[in-house]
Amino acid sequence: MRSLWREILLETLLGYVSWSLCHGLAPMIYYFPLQTLELTGLEGFGIAFLSPIFLTINPFWKLVNKQWMLALLRIITVGSIASFQAPNAKIRLVVLALGVSSSLIVQAVTWWTGSGLQRYLRTWGFISGQIFLVVLRIWYTSLNPIWSYQMSNRVILTLSTIATLDRISTDGDCSKPEGKKTSQAAKGMTCRPHWLLAGAAFGSLVFLTHWIFGEVSLVSRWAVSGHPHPGPDPNPFGGAVLLSLVSGLMLPTCTWFPGTSLIWWVTGAASAAGLLYLPTWAAAVSGCVLALFAASMWPLVLGHLISSGSSPGKTMTIAMIFYLLDIFFCAWCTAFKFVPGGVYARERSDVLLGTVMLIIGLNMLFGPKKSLHFLLQTKNSPKLLFRNSERYMKLFLWLLVGVGFLGLGLRHKAYERNLGKRAPATEVSAAIWPLRFGYDNEGWTSLERSAQLLNQTGADFITILESDASKPFMGNNDLTMWLGEKLGFYTDFGPSARDHTWGIMVLSRYPIVRSEHHLLPSPEGEIAPAITLTVTISDKLVDFVVTHFGNHEDDLDRKLQAIAISKLLKSSSNQVIFLGYITSAPGSRDYQQLIEHGNVKDIDSTDQDRWCEYIMYRGLIRLGYARISHAELSDSEIQMAKFRIPDDPINYRDNQKVVTDHREVPEKIHFSPRFGSYKEGHNYENNHHFHMSTPKYFL
């Protein structure tokens, strides 16, 4: 046997690739209906997850066990990493789907054939690949580097190719009989787990891990609330999640651990309920307990999967059917307005999580109680090698924890150093922008370009709509954490990721004193979120109200949401800025509700060519108003306004005169020259430029 360290590293890297392909396909499928707000038919590429069904055909099973065919499948798998270099999103989707299909077939073949030790290292490589994934995401601030940057994609492609070529050279041994099992192992195998239950449990556990533990910040986003008690910050609390995951993997090796008892399943089920229903820190602690439970299930579930005694094709197909149903149901819970049958799945994450936990529990309680290495051990596999493999794997996982902690520490120190860099001022600039979950109009990640654009605006307070990309079909990305650390801004995110909204992110150069997250009345359409905040600017308190209304088609929703927001505006302090996406025209019923009953003024009531984005205010002096074209970075423009905080909030005069020549106003209130100068009409060029008869200044 080659060096165990070498084997562990190679299998972990290939396990990471498998997880990354799994994580990467759903967002690519989701991108297309995101553009049209309806199903496109490309959702059918989800069938790529069902490729193991071909293994139920005996000639096909024999074919993929041939060394040359397995080598070809391995090459296709690793080659699909290059889908990130594809010229357009459709080609990328096709290549990625092909890679996922090949990856699952390779897993089925290599997990069911070869020596016991080989299979042990391959399955544990898959497990450690998940830990390696979340550690890499720590260092890349929530992003998976394989799908985020061209250079890291090429580096991972190169390293994975080397690992794949090495595996190809050893695959010749896979089809050899693994030898007779020890008498104890053979006795343990007489009570095989049922292939249907084993497959369902594996698919459910893959989904649970992807959904909640695909990135260590996700638990914090499930538990988040308003300031000053928002719950644990993703950094450093993500370290506790990482520690819980790895500790959970260690538990089955402890002789005292009741890993297959009803008590342990009840503990896991209770922690899942706690994460779903409890507030802030109680939910976060529940999430860590759930991480312990989920991780402790991996050796058991994988052992049941590959010892079920059935055709690998049948078992893996069942697993992927359950995984696929879970992913689609998860999407249906939030996107219910745009999909058939969505009314039955609306906000039913409780049903989804409960079903997943029930299936895992049934498999745990009614399957064999033997460990993974026990089930794989044969007379030809010395116990010493298994013990050494287990010991080396433990050490490797703890090393990954150390690397993850180092990344969190360095990031946290850098973030704290960058906060509050701007000198206090009496002028404040505010912006609103729908980000479309960090993907541009061509389907590629847009965060670096978005950060550059937002930085160039010079805005002090930014509300980013459509920003909850924590869901598995959007990439498990924490965009709030990424942009906050990149730009050096204080942040707020809400409502919670468990509340089935598309999310609102707030970025502020100045400290957030308090905030409250709201779910607006939404009896018919998608759930509308809002956040009310108070920010300290030059020792003065300014309130902000930010929101994202539901669809224009849902008239009752918009009416009720406008009433709710007007009440929040009216109850705010004398100085308030409203940044909202209200899906109604200027002068409409909902617009008038906000103006009249919210007691606010429109930043530019003469601008009739608006539909969704609006900036309103009270108790401030307006200085400027600008609209910046999206240039295909999103589907919506950036709107921005500048205000002065009056010394006397009672006796002051607002600016009334409108000018478009920046030379007529002081330089310190100019909008950034990076976006050109005053422009009438739409800017159709592929660059960010002022448009729609802006910028305007007020004197």
Side-chain angles (χ1 to χ4, degrees):
M1 191 69 185
R2 300 186 186 189
S3 165
L4 284 177
W5 275 117
R6 186 168 179 272
E7 295 295 311
I8 289 171
L9 290 174
L10 291 174
E11 293 296 347
T12 297
L13 178 58
L14 295 178
Y16 161 73
V17 170
S18 296
W19 278 105
S20 295
L21 293 176
C22 177
H23 282 216
L25 183 57
M28 280 309 304
I29 292 174
Y30 182 74
Y31 159 77
F32 294 97
L34 178 64
Q35 302 301 308
T36 61
L37 298 183
E38 61 183 4
L39 298 181
T40 63
L42 293 173
E43 297 79 15
F45 274 92
I47 202 171
F49 286 104
L50 303 183
S51 61
I53 197 170
F54 292 111
L55 300 179
T56 60
I57 304 171
N58 195 50
F60 191 85
W61 170 252
K62 291 180 179 179
L63 177 64
V64 296
N65 272 275
K66 294 184 181 296
Q67 187 174 4
W68 67 269
M69 178 54 74
L70 185 58
L72 178 61
L73 290 170
R74 282 192 180 276
I75 291 170
I76 293 173
T77 299
V78 74
S80 65
I81 297 173
S83 63
F84 191 67
Q85 316 286 338
N88 60 63
K90 285 188 177 180
I91 293 177
R92 181 183 175 188
L93 175 61
V94 171
V95 175
L96 191 54
L98 189 61
V100 169
S101 300
S102 299
S103 173
L104 290 169
I105 293 175
V106 169
Q107 283 178 348
V109 172
T110 56
W111 289 359
W112 265 266
T113 60
S115 70
L117 185 59
Q118 283 179 317
R119 297 167 68 196
Y120 179 82
L121 290 171
R122 290 164 185 162
T123 50
W124 265 101
F126 181 71
I127 297 171
S128 61
Q130 160 65 15
I131 304 301
F132 185 55
L133 168 62
V134 296
V135 169
L136 277 181
R137 296 187 84 142
I138 287 174
W139 281 86
Y140 283 83
T141 319
S142 178
L143 304 183
N144 187 347
I146 199 172
W147 306 132
S148 303
Y149 302 99
Q150 294 283 347
M151 180 55 70
S152 56
N153 177 266
R154 294 190 184 102
V155 169
I156 294 169
L157 174 61
T158 301
L159 294 176
S160 302
T161 300
I162 294 171
T164 296
L165 292 175
D166 182 272
R167 298 297 87 181
I168 289 174
S169 68
T170 63
D171 279 341
D173 299 325
C174 290
S175 58
K176 293 180 180 178
E178 66 172 294
K180 294 183 179 180
K181 296 191 175 294
T182 63
S183 57
Q184 288 181 317
K187 184 178 179 181
M189 292 291 285
T190 58
C191 181
R192 293 182 183 273
H194 192 278
W195 63 272
L196 183 61
L197 186 56
F202 176 70
S204 298
L205 186 58
V206 169
F207 171 74
L208 179 66
T209 305
H210 184 180
W211 184 20
I212 302 177
F213 306 113
E215 211 284 303
V216 293
S217 72
L218 300 184
V219 169
S220 294
R221 295 312 183 191
W222 278 54
V224 73
S225 187
H227 291 261
H229 305 294
D233 193 82
N235 185 7
F237 185 76
V241 177
L242 175 62
L243 183 62
S244 299
L245 287 171
V246 173
S247 298
L249 292 174
M250 304 297 168
L251 285 178
T253 63
C254 302
T255 55
W256 51 264
F257 175 61
T260 57
S261 69
L262 180 62
I263 294 176
W264 184 232
W265 179 79
V266 170
T267 301
S271 67
L275 177 61
L276 197 58
Y277 295 115
L278 295 178
T280 57
W281 280 97
V285 171
S286 297
C288 287
V289 176
L290 182 59
L292 276 169
F293 174 82
S296 72
M297 288 296 101
W298 269 109
L300 181 72
V301 168
L302 270 172
H304 289 178
L305 181 79
I306 62 179
S307 63
S308 59
S310 178
S311 158
K314 286 169 59 179
T315 311
M316 284 292 284
T317 299
I318 289 297
M320 290 302 103
I321 286 175
F322 273 82
Y323 171 78
L324 206 53
L325 289 175
D326 289 340
I327 282 282
F328 275 105
F329 193 90
C330 182
W332 257 238
C333 288
T334 303
F336 54 84
K337 177 63 182 178
F338 311 107
V339 294
V343 64
Y344 303 107
R346 174 177 174 144
E347 301 180 84
R348 297 317 307 262
S349 289
D350 53 347
V351 172
L352 178 59
L353 186 55
T355 302
V356 165
M357 295 300 295
L358 178 62
I359 292 172
I360 294 172
L362 290 174
N363 179 71
M364 178 183 79
L365 296 172
F366 296 107
K369 314 301 181 186
K370 304 301 181 180
S371 65
L372 178 61
H373 80 268
F374 181 88
L375 292 171
L376 291 175
Q377 194 168 328
T378 68
K379 290 182 178 179
N380 298 330
S381 300
K383 292 183 179 180
L384 180 62
L385 278 177
F386 272 94
R387 284 199 297 268
N388 286 341
S389 299
E390 183 178 290
R391 186 168 68 250
Y392 287 8
M393 184 60 74
K394 284 183 179 179
L395 179 58
F396 178 64
L397 289 170
W398 287 122
L399 286 173
L400 288 179
V401 171
V403 173
F405 280 7
L406 177 61
L408 287 169
L410 293 175
R411 276 179 38 210
H412 186 71
K413 185 177 180 180
Y415 179 48
E416 292 291 327
R417 189 169 57 244
N418 290 335
L419 279 175
K421 286 293 185 180
R422 175 165 291 194
T426 56
E427 288 81 24
V428 58
S429 55
I432 177 173
W433 188 33
L435 184 61
R436 295 294 289 269
F437 312 108
Y439 295 97
D440 66 20
N441 290 356
E442 300 300 324
W444 308 103
T445 180
S446 64
L447 280 181
E448 287 287 351
R449 290 169 289 157
S450 298
Q452 183 181 18
L453 173 62
L454 294 171
N455 191 49
Q456 290 169 344
T457 66
D460 302 308
F461 183 96
I462 306 166
T463 183
I464 303 287
L465 308 175
E466 299 173 353
S467 55
D468 184 2
S470 65
K471 299 170 176 63
F473 53 90
M474 292 183 192
N476 289 130
N477 299 321
D478 189 338
L479 308 185
T480 304
M481 181 172 65
W482 193 94
L483 283 170
E485 293 188 19
K486 184 76 172 181
L487 299 174
F489 277 49
Y490 296 95
T491 66
D492 195 1
F493 169 84
S496 162
R498 64 190 180 186
D499 285 327
H500 308 99
T501 77
W502 300 121
I504 297 178
M505 173 202 315
V506 168
L507 303 170
S508 174
R509 292 188 193 274
Y510 302 106
I512 299 171
V513 178
R514 57 181 173 268
S515 67
E516 186 176 355
H517 302 164
H518 308 269
L519 295 175
L520 303 181
S522 308
E524 297 177 349
E526 57 185 343
I527 310 302
I531 304 178
T532 52
L533 310 96
T534 301
V535 176
T536 302
I537 304 174
S538 300
D539 298 324
K540 297 179 181 178
L541 299 179
V542 178
D543 285 355
F544 291 83
V545 178
V546 300
T547 187
H548 184 184
F549 279 18
N551 281 55
H552 177 70
E553 294 80 5
D554 301 310
D555 184 74
L556 177 61
D557 287 30
R558 288 188 292 107
K559 178 181 179 180
L560 297 175
Q561 290 159 11
I563 292 172
I565 290 296
S566 66
K567 291 178 180 178
L568 292 175
L569 287 168
K570 192 171 184 178
S571 64
S572 297
S573 74
N574 286 329
Q575 297 170 314
V576 59
I577 297 174
F578 170 76
L579 302 163
Y581 189 100
I582 65 174
T583 56
S584 296
S588 64
R589 178 199 64 198
D590 304 325
Y591 175 93
Q592 291 301 132
Q593 174 72 34
L594 298 177
I595 295 292
E596 295 174 6
H597 298 277
N599 191 24
V600 291
K601 295 188 289 187
D602 192 343
I603 186 67
D604 182 13
S605 58
T606 67
D607 186 353
Q608 296 298 305
D609 197 0
R610 288 173 293 173
W611 178 247
C612 295
E613 297 175 48
Y614 291 88
I615 302 177
M616 301 175 186
Y617 68 104
R618 182 178 69 240
L620 299 163
I621 301 170
R622 63 176 181 171
L623 301 175
Y625 167 58
R627 298 171 65 174
I628 302 170
S629 60
H630 58 73
E632 303 300 320
L633 197 55
S634 172
D635 67 337
S636 302
E637 66 183 7
I638 293 178
Q639 284 192 16
M640 187 173 173
K642 287 178 177 281
F643 302 94
R644 178 177 293 120
I645 305 171
D647 295 326
D648 186 344
I650 304 299
N651 300 309
Y652 73 96
R653 183 185 66 84
D654 197 4
N655 290 331
Q656 301 299 328
K657 182 182 177 181
V658 180
V659 299
T660 57
D661 187 348
H662 67 277
R663 292 172 294 186
E664 297 185 39
V665 297
E667 184 177 352
K668 67 176 182 178
I669 65 171
H670 287 180
F671 289 102
S672 172
R674 154 69 179 81
F675 306 110
S677 56
Y678 177 86
K679 180 181 177 65
E680 295 183 354
H682 285 276
N683 175 52
Y684 292 105
E685 297 177 7
N686 193 24
N687 61 0
H688 301 289
H689 199 287
F690 294 123
H691 71 160
M692 305 309 296
S693 302
T694 69
K696 296 177 179 179
Y697 297 96
F698 306 101
L699 298 173

